[in-house]
Amino acid sequence: MVRVPLTAVERLRGERLGAVLRRARGTRSMPQVAVAAGISPETLRKIETGRAPTPSFFTIAALAAALDLSLDELFAACQVEPPLSASA
């Protein structure tokens, strides 16, 4: 299966997601939060650094629950205004 390259907006959204998760994690260790969310520390590291900018909904929901974040807050924090097209 060939993966379609991510757009600049998708990459930026992934970077914002990682930043929000890092801030919410605070002083807790990456392994602590990963175990609480039921994912591997490596997966959490990739999400936090933007190397996995499009995690599954279930992964995001598990992380939100482990970090006491609402999905609405997380969604709002990761929004990116798409660039205006040349035809607009």
Side-chain angles (χ1 to χ4, degrees):
M1 182 165 99
V2 176
R3 286 188 84 149
V4 176
L6 298 174
T7 66
V9 170
E10 290 169 326
R11 284 192 302 275
L12 182 56
R13 192 177 297 126
E15 290 169 7
R16 287 186 180 184
L17 173 63
V20 170
L21 295 175
R22 276 192 307 278
R23 279 193 305 274
R25 185 164 54 85
T27 59
R28 290 180 280 182
S29 73
M30 208 175 270
Q32 270 182 313
V33 172
V35 167
I39 63 172
S40 73
E42 178 64 14
T43 297
L44 179 55
R45 185 182 66 75
K46 286 179 180 178
I47 294 168
E48 284 190 0
T49 60
R51 287 187 47 225
T54 58
S56 75
F57 171 79
F58 298 104
T59 298
I60 293 171
L63 284 167
L67 294 168
D68 293 322
L69 294 171
S70 81
L71 289 174
D72 290 332
E73 290 172 320
L74 197 51
F75 176 77
C78 297
Q79 285 307 292
V80 177
E81 290 295 321
L84 295 176
S85 67
S87 62

